[in-house]
Amino acid sequence: MSGDPVRLSAWVHGFVQGVGFRWWTRSRALELGLTGYARNHRDGRVHVVAEGPRDRCETLLDLLRSGTTPGRVNLVVEDWNTAQGGMTGFEER
């Protein structure tokens, strides 16, 4: 059923730390009504986890790949699962 919530896990590669990328991602996710977080990792990637309707998560994924983000995105590796729930809002971690 397309209305069931999903979990998008997206590893964003490129120049995406120290440029407002997590703030930008949080803003887009909240506009789409998604819950989750964006977290910096030591290797320079940002891990974005978002839960909500599949079409809205796909919109966020498209935005991450759009070329309009802060910094420079070279690659986004996505993984889809069933939503786990338990998150409120969208955090920068």
Side-chain angles (χ1 to χ4, degrees):
M1 185 173 168
S2 63
D4 290 343
V6 298
R7 174 176 279 215
L8 166 65
S9 174
W11 289 94
V12 184
H13 301 245
F15 178 62
V16 290
Q17 290 191 13
V19 294
F21 184 86
R22 290 178 301 149
W23 177 89
W24 181 90
T25 300
R26 177 180 179 270
S27 297
R28 302 296 79 79
L30 290 173
E31 288 169 0
L32 291 165
L34 301 174
T35 60
Y37 59 86
R39 175 186 296 165
N40 284 343
H41 277 260
R42 288 187 193 144
D43 62 7
R45 295 179 298 169
V46 172
H47 187 205
V48 176
V49 174
E51 288 192 353
R54 173 106 188 187
D55 61 338
R56 293 186 187 185
C57 287
E58 287 175 350
T59 298
L60 180 63
L61 183 61
D62 290 344
L63 288 166
L64 294 174
R65 291 177 167 150
S66 68
T68 61
T69 66
R72 183 187 68 253
V73 173
N74 295 335
L75 174 69
V76 180
V77 179
E78 66 186 274
D79 185 44
W80 296 92
N81 283 293
T82 312
Q84 297 174 15
M87 294 187 287
T88 56
F90 199 95
E91 300 177 1
E92 293 175 58
R93 295 187 178 172

